[in-house]
Amino acid sequence: MIAGAWICLLAPLAGSLAITFAGQRISRRMAGWISTLTTFIAFGGALVAFFGLWATDPSDREQLSTAYTWLAAGDFEAGFQILVDPLSTVMMLIVSGVGGLIVWYSMGYMAGDDEERRYFAYMSLFVFAMLLLVEAGNFLLLLVGWGLVGLASYLLIGFWHKRPEAVAAAKKAFVMNAIGDATFALAAVLLIWETGTLEFFGVFEDVGSLSQTTVNLVALGLLGGAVAKSAQIPLHTWLPDAMEGPTPVSALIHAATMVTAGVYLLVRASPIFEAAPDIQHLAAILGAVTLLVAGLIALVQWDIKRVIAYSTMSQIGYMFMAAGIGAYGYAIFHLMTHAFFKALLFMSAGVVIHHLNGEQDMRRMGGLKGVLPRTHVAFLVGTLALVGIPPFAGFWSKDGILASALATGGSLGWTLYVAGLVGALLTGAYAFRLYYTVFRGQATEVEASRAHASHGEGPLSMLVPVGILTVLSTIGGLVVIPGVWHPLTEWIGETAEALVEPTAGQDYLTSAIAVALGLIGLYLARRAVFAGRQLVTNPGAWRVFEHKLYFDELYDALFYRPAAALSVALRREIEEPVIERSMNEIGSGTIQVGGEVARVQSGLLRTYTVAIAFAVCVLVVVFVAVR
Amino acid sequence: MSGPGIGWYLIVAAILFGVGALGVMMRRSPLIVLLSLEIMLNAGNLTLIAFARQLGDLDGQIFALAVMAVAAAEVAIGLGLIVAMARRRLVLDVDQASALRG
């Protein structure tokens, strides 16, 4: 069981290193296979760990395995240790399983790219980083995984490094994530200061004895990290830009790794957040705001991948909401189903983009149902799961979250509930706007000119993972059926016990309302698309949404411009007149003095001897006098 | 202990050194400068040997031998330079050899 977890962690690292060091000695295809197989080996390890834990006595399901003491400073010690418990095994399965499918799919999608080996080395590194993040047994190692995930995302978003937009997007993602990393690190430092340990169980035991201010600060720091990594408002602006990377990378970032890390952290550190209820509620509120804002922005985007990206933000908002009200099981459940259907959506969008030879603008797509029948089915399933139509996966998890909000009650619960329901309506609208625009209606001329006819729907390595995910998106939600059984939420509950548990009645009521709202969204989208209208008809609102609520412009004005102005002023006022001139003055002064001194060197031997004799006399006098 | 005291030896040495130094500083012929240098070195040797006798210690005498060796080497180079100057028909005057001034 423990061995399985270690294999799961180290296999992708081994794959990444193997591809890196083998370099050109292996073929590109070989690199792809190494990456795919090591990720699936990791999945096998995760399965071993999961079933091993399943068979263990419930009282013994938190197993810490320490390889060695990694850091020791005074009383503080941090080991290179992994934690195998119900939460981490589920995350291992999701990360390595969905990650493996995505890497496999990449082999078809990236075939023919100049730098495939580099790509697969990065992909394996990404999966390793995420596995380190979810398996880490203490906050320090978690932070290492956290940082590595940021690095890998930077490398992959900027993979096409000859495109300036891709490089800019990579930098943006890195900087935004660095803000979160910093707050996370501050929280970790505060924990060391106050409790002297970073091991999960040690920290959770000591949380009760800390002052409220300390707990709030720690929770706030962790929340800052989670918000940045999971692209929640206000640190969300990197996620849509991250679409500059290859499509499978987007799928990996959105489905299996990276953005889910924040949700994982909220659940993993639930004892800290429960000790700081204000901050936990703040997480829920941020999630609710994000899900609404992202849903609204998604209504007007034209880039097929950006619509899906905003939908990710929105769905992660649901997960934050769930984690914020203490419905940890449903948060992870939605994380899992979201991993299935979001990977599916991205990968079928990838098939479309691949078929259209890189075209991503929805306005130039239409009627693809006839050309790509299998992809059409996959995309439709993904959309239905996203909107939450039964029996597809998203239905079960999203309604669980909404019902939990209803069960929480109070002004907070009701606000979140209403926000979530409005979000369901928005989801229905933007998801089906995307679906109808791309797959129904008339084929466009661009399609005819750009598509390669001989292409089909793509190679088998692309279609098989899509097929598997289609099945998972269809039945993946059946592990939790309200009133019948809920093994997954119970399993997660062993790690982080839920604060609220909706009754079956609340669940069914919520489902009815949410499905109805989703169908209304579907109807609105269908009517608008077929009438050739937009979903948002008010031009003012359209402009605001198209500019993503002016977040980029705001950050530009608040942070970038003052910093740039300050730098220019410093250069003009300090650097040039003070630093540069003083250097020049020192140089020219030295030359001048040297010129003067050189005149003493007359070349006359006798002058020198007289000078030496005189100096010796002076020295003798001085020595005698001093004695 | 017979003979003159150490003071006399030191006085002779000081006079020799002074003569040598003046020679180096005032004469312009490189040959004479070289001779004057030798006189200064021998003044130093005289001092060393006088003190060695006074203190009953052989170190000073050994030093004097080393100084003689160095002086011989120095004279060899100095004379070589002077011969080289004469061969090129340069004026044998140290004041004229001032090409290294700054």
Side-chain angles (χ1 to χ4, degrees):
Chain A
M1 178 178 73
I2 293 289
W6 280 109
I7 288 171
C8 178
L9 177 65
L10 296 177
L13 178 66
S16 179
L17 292 178
I19 297 170
T20 308
F21 287 112
Q24 303 222 331
R25 271 164 293 190
I26 54 172
S27 71
R28 297 170 175 186
R29 200 154 184 79
M30 188 67 187
W33 277 118
I34 290 176
S35 186
T36 309
L37 286 178
T38 50
T39 316
F40 278 120
I41 289 172
F43 182 64
L47 279 177
V48 170
F50 178 77
F51 285 111
L53 201 66
W54 185 285
T56 313
D57 185 64
S59 61
D60 198 26
R61 281 192 185 150
E62 277 168 350
Q63 305 220 355
L64 204 58
S65 162
T66 308
Y68 57 91
T69 303
W70 174 41
L71 266 183
D75 291 338
F76 174 74
E77 260 192 18
F80 191 90
Q81 56 194 178
I82 60 172
L83 172 65
V84 182
D85 71 350
L87 175 61
S88 69
T89 47
V90 169
M91 290 299 292
M92 279 151 69
L93 285 175
I94 298 173
V95 171
S96 56
V98 179
L101 291 176
I102 295 169
V103 177
W104 189 8
Y105 172 91
S106 304
M107 287 181 62
Y109 191 86
M110 298 301 285
D113 194 280
D114 285 341
E115 295 174 278
E116 267 180 84
R117 297 182 192 89
R118 189 164 65 86
Y119 174 85
F120 283 110
Y122 288 169
M123 288 295 258
S124 284
L125 177 68
F126 206 163
V127 174
F128 161 71
M130 191 65 193
L131 285 168
L132 182 63
L133 197 161
V134 299
E135 289 189 41
N138 55 51
F139 278 108
L140 197 62
L141 209 54
L142 178 57
L143 185 58
V144 171
W146 201 261
L148 276 176
V149 167
L151 169 70
S153 68
Y154 168 80
L155 293 171
L156 280 169
I157 294 169
F159 177 71
W160 282 319
H161 53 82
K162 285 173 191 157
R163 282 171 41 188
E165 308 91 47
V167 176
K171 273 193 286 193
K172 191 170 175 183
F174 198 77
V175 169
M176 282 293 183
N177 271 298
I179 297 171
D181 294 355
T183 64
F184 189 160
L186 286 177
V189 169
L190 198 57
L191 276 177
I192 298 175
W193 181 270
E194 292 286 339
T195 68
T197 180
L198 280 180
E199 218 169 275
F200 289 139
F201 301 125
V203 170
F204 297 158
E205 267 171 32
D206 290 353
V207 159
S209 59
L210 301 180
S211 73
Q212 189 61 42
T213 327
T214 314
V215 176
N216 278 349
L217 281 175
V218 169
L220 200 60
L222 295 180
L223 179 62
V227 162
K229 197 64 80 191
S230 288
Q232 298 293 291
I233 284 172
L235 294 174
H236 64 286
T237 54
W238 64 270
L239 190 67
D241 290 15
M243 294 300 106
E244 291 295 339
T247 308
V249 172
S250 308
L252 195 59
I253 288 178
H254 287 248
T257 61
M258 189 93 182
V259 294
T260 54
V263 183
Y264 169 76
L265 181 67
L266 289 186
V267 177
R268 170 58 75 205
S270 56
I272 296 178
F273 284 101
E274 280 166 19
D278 292 343
I279 307 297
Q280 200 176 20
H281 293 160
L282 178 64
I285 292 164
L286 283 178
V289 172
T290 308
L291 81 88
L292 289 178
V293 167
L296 287 172
I297 297 174
L299 291 177
V300 305
Q301 294 297 315
W302 282 121
D303 186 314
I304 179 170
K305 279 170 71 182
R306 273 183 194 244
V307 176
I308 308 178
Y310 278 107
S311 119
T312 303
M313 260 174 75
S314 178
Q315 298 302 311
I316 304 275
Y318 278 106
M319 297 174 212
F320 263 57
M321 210 165 95
I325 56 175
Y328 307 114
Y330 286 109
I332 297 297
F333 181 31
H334 195 52
L335 191 159
M336 183 184 86
T337 56
H338 176 259
F340 296 156
F341 64 72
K342 190 49 58 77
L344 175 62
L345 280 174
F346 264 115
M347 281 151 76
S348 30
V351 174
V352 172
I353 295 169
H354 198 237
H355 177 75
L356 296 179
N357 212 359
E359 182 58 61
Q360 298 190 9
D361 194 328
M362 282 159 63
R363 280 169 291 197
R364 300 188 192 146
M365 300 175 187
L368 284 170
K369 185 185 172 193
V371 195
L372 304 168
R374 278 173 287 188
T375 311
H376 164 252
V377 172
F379 200 90
L380 182 60
V381 167
T383 309
L384 287 171
L386 169 63
V387 178
I389 305 296
F392 297 97
F395 165 74
W396 307 100
S397 51
K398 186 152 79 177
D399 291 356
I401 292 174
L402 291 175
S404 299
L406 182 62
T408 305
S411 55
L412 177 77
W414 279 101
T415 315
L416 298 178
Y417 188 58
V418 172
L421 287 178
V422 175
L425 175 69
L426 291 172
T427 310
Y430 70 69
F432 277 99
R433 166 177 176 265
L434 178 62
Y435 166 75
Y436 281 119
T437 313
V438 174
F439 285 98
R440 301 300 185 92
Q442 294 296 312
T444 60
E445 299 124 42
V446 184
E447 263 168 40
S449 64
R450 297 199 75 157
H452 5 176
S454 60
H455 216 88
E457 294 195 47
L460 215 56
S461 59
M462 283 168 76
L463 292 182
V464 174
V466 170
I468 295 172
L469 281 170
T470 309
V471 174
L472 284 174
S473 299
T474 311
I475 60 166
L478 297 178
V479 290
V480 176
I481 299 177
V484 182
W485 71 332
H486 26 74
L488 180 71
T489 48
E490 268 172 17
W491 180 251
I492 298 297
E494 285 181 22
T495 301
E497 202 174 337
L499 299 180
V500 286
E501 191 57 52
T503 62
Q506 285 170 325
D507 235 322
Y508 286 115
L509 171 72
T510 308
S511 297
I513 303 176
V515 170
L517 284 169
L519 290 175
I520 292 173
L522 183 158
Y523 171 71
L524 290 176
R526 185 186 155 87
R527 214 182 52 174
V529 171
F530 285 145
R533 276 193 295 112
Q534 292 310 323
L535 276 172
V536 181
T537 42
N538 180 333
W542 173 274
R543 207 163 35 246
V544 171
F545 293 156
E546 201 177 23
H547 282 93
K548 307 154 195 165
L549 298 189
Y550 296 101
F551 268 105
D552 279 336
E553 286 81 355
L554 179 71
Y555 290 165
D556 199 45
L558 269 185
F559 302 112
Y560 170 70
R561 297 236 184 99
L566 182 68
S567 315
V568 171
L570 279 178
R571 167 155 186 87
R572 207 177 43 232
E573 305 298 333
I574 308 284
E575 169 72 21
E576 281 172 9
V578 179
I579 313 273
E580 246 179 68
R581 261 194 61 201
S582 64
M583 286 298 143
N584 289 343
E585 291 295 313
I586 290 172
S588 59
T590 312
I591 291 173
Q592 218 167 16
V593 171
E596 295 297 323
V597 172
R599 287 176 34 194
V600 176
Q601 191 186 350
S602 61
L604 287 177
L605 188 62
R606 297 187 303 148
T607 326
Y608 297 169
T609 48
V610 171
I612 291 170
F614 179 73
V616 169
C617 292
V618 170
L619 280 178
V620 168
V621 170
V622 168
F623 278 127
V624 171
V626 168
R627 258 178 76 189
Chain B
M1 181 126 188
S2 58
I6 185 153
W8 293 106
Y9 288 98
L10 291 186
I11 289 169
V12 172
I15 291 170
L16 278 175
F17 192 86
V19 168
L22 281 177
V24 171
M25 285 188 277
M26 298 175 71
R27 299 302 294 266
R28 304 206 305 195
S29 161
L31 210 58
I32 305 294
V33 170
L34 219 55
L35 286 176
S36 305
L37 269 177
E38 289 303 310
I39 295 174
M40 287 167 76
L41 283 168
N42 282 313
N45 276 349
L46 188 57
T47 322
L48 282 170
I49 290 165
F51 275 116
R53 287 277 300 184
Q54 169 78 7
L55 300 173
D57 185 351
L58 279 180
D59 287 0
Q61 303 199 10
I62 307 283
F63 264 118
L65 280 174
V67 170
M68 280 178 198
V70 172
E74 178 229 311
V75 165
I77 293 171
L79 285 177
L81 279 173
I82 292 165
V83 170
M85 284 169 81
R87 280 226 181 130
R88 290 168 158 244
R89 312 222 172 273
L90 294 175
V91 186
L92 286 180
D93 180 351
V94 289
D95 284 3
Q96 301 285 314
S98 64
L100 283 179
R101 71 171 169 277

